Amino acid sequence: MEKIIYPEAKQIILSNDGIIRVGKYTIGIWSKDYIGGGFHYRPSPNEGRAVYMANLNNGSVVQTFCKSELRQMILDECKDGVSGEYND
């Protein structure tokens, strides 16, 4: 069963299994990845940094270098609502 959800910042949970939850509803997935190497002679300044990405059920994709900013970016993308799938 799907429901349109308007989450608040304190309700967004980034669980360890890579699922974004608001209460008993799933609104997307998130992941942590590392930026790979660039050109051998001129490495990227962001090489080796962690990147946090979220794919939301409304089709939005957000990414940032800080996990705390990821929650705020998810909140900004969901201000018009996002469909949530009910979990038991």
Side-chain angles (χ1 to χ4, degrees):
M1 181 174 137
E2 289 192 9
K3 178 180 178 181
I4 301 298
I5 298 174
Y6 302 91
E8 297 177 9
K10 63 182 179 180
Q11 295 175 328
I12 297 173
I13 298 170
L14 303 173
S15 47
N16 290 337
D17 58 355
I19 297 176
I20 305 169
R21 292 188 174 91
V22 175
K24 292 189 175 187
Y25 290 90
T26 299
I27 62 168
I29 58 173
W30 75 279
S31 63
K32 177 182 177 182
D33 200 9
Y34 292 95
I35 296 177
F39 188 63
H40 177 69
Y41 296 107
R42 205 175 277 170
S44 169
N46 294 324
E47 184 176 340
R49 287 186 72 181
V51 176
Y52 297 92
M53 298 176 59
N55 297 325
L56 303 174
N57 289 348
N58 63 1
S60 299
V61 177
V62 294
Q63 66 180 12
T64 183
F65 289 118
C66 298
K67 189 174 179 181
S68 59
E69 288 179 9
L70 182 64
R71 185 173 282 116
Q72 183 61 41
M73 292 177 79
I74 291 170
L75 182 65
D76 293 341
E77 288 293 323
C78 296
K79 65 183 173 189
D80 295 331
V82 63
S83 63
E85 299 173 11
Y86 185 76
N87 293 351
D88 290 331

